[in-house]
Amino acid sequence: MSSKQIPVHIKIDTEIVDDEHGNENITRTEHGTYIHRGKVHMIKYNEEMEDLGEVNTTIVIQDDRVSIKREGTLQMHQVFRIGSSTECVYHHPFGKFRMETTTHHMQFIKGIGNRSGKIYLNYDVVLNDQEPRRHKFELHFQEEVA
């Protein structure tokens, strides 16, 4: 069981499918840390969000679920479980929103020696009883080599 923090390069691709307003694609690259203890894997990074400031993000991967916790100007704790709907409150500078997440697919692929990996999530989000929007989230991480 390792608990060593490994510095990693992170690439995140998010696609939001919106039939009414058109699809939105967001790509980010970040630097963060990866740690694993037994069957629990964790990725942490800080994002500098335009007009919003810094947001600390922690992703926890377990056998049956993935959770994304964001702290800072934005706050939420989103949980993904296949076939389940989960709820959280999304705190934003413009207000609080009820967020319901229904997960259709999730996959975590570990690289050799737990030095890299990929998370894939396919889910719907409903904000404050609006129409659901499909999200495709892909995160790749790779150990940074000095």
Side-chain angles (χ1 to χ4, degrees):
M1 183 175 344
S2 171
S3 60
K4 179 182 171 189
Q5 289 192 15
I6 300 168
V8 291
H9 174 77
I10 300 165
K11 182 178 181 227
I12 304 161
D13 291 305
T14 305
E15 179 184 11
I16 303 171
V17 178
D18 187 335
D19 294 332
E20 189 174 321
H21 300 102
N23 293 0
E24 183 179 354
N25 292 292
I26 304 162
T27 299
R28 299 188 63 86
T29 56
E30 302 292 345
H31 297 279
T33 57
Y34 168 67
I35 187 170
H36 69 99
R37 292 185 183 113
K39 293 184 177 187
V40 178
H41 302 263
M42 191 179 322
I43 298 167
K44 292 184 172 194
Y45 59 94
N46 297 332
E47 302 177 64
E48 187 63 39
M49 304 198 77
E50 190 174 318
D51 299 328
L52 295 176
E54 188 171 85
V55 176
N56 302 318
T57 302
T58 302
I59 300 173
V60 178
I61 304 118
Q62 296 172 293
D63 286 341
D64 64 338
R65 72 184 203 155
V66 172
S67 66
I68 299 177
K69 185 173 185 179
R70 302 177 96 185
E71 298 176 300
T73 312
L74 299 177
Q75 295 180 20
M76 69 172 200
H77 187 188
Q78 192 173 18
V79 177
F80 302 89
R81 283 194 179 109
I82 291 179
S84 295
S85 290
T86 59
E87 286 188 31
C88 73
V89 176
Y90 179 55
H91 298 265
H92 190 278
F94 301 121
K96 295 178 184 178
F97 304 94
R98 182 179 96 40
M99 185 165 79
E100 181 181 331
T101 302
T102 303
T103 307
H104 303 291
H105 181 79
M106 67 182 190
Q107 185 176 21
F108 176 51
I109 302 167
K110 294 180 281 187
I112 296 172
N114 285 314
R115 302 288 185 191
S116 65
K118 174 182 162 182
I119 302 166
Y120 177 78
L121 299 167
N122 185 316
Y123 58 96
D124 290 338
V125 168
V126 175
L127 282 177
N128 282 347
D129 300 317
Q130 295 176 354
E131 287 298 310
R133 297 191 332 170
R134 176 66 48 104
H135 289 65
K136 297 174 183 175
F137 174 90
E138 216 171 284
L139 181 147
H140 298 260
F141 67 93
Q142 175 72 48
E143 181 178 16
E144 291 183 348
V145 180

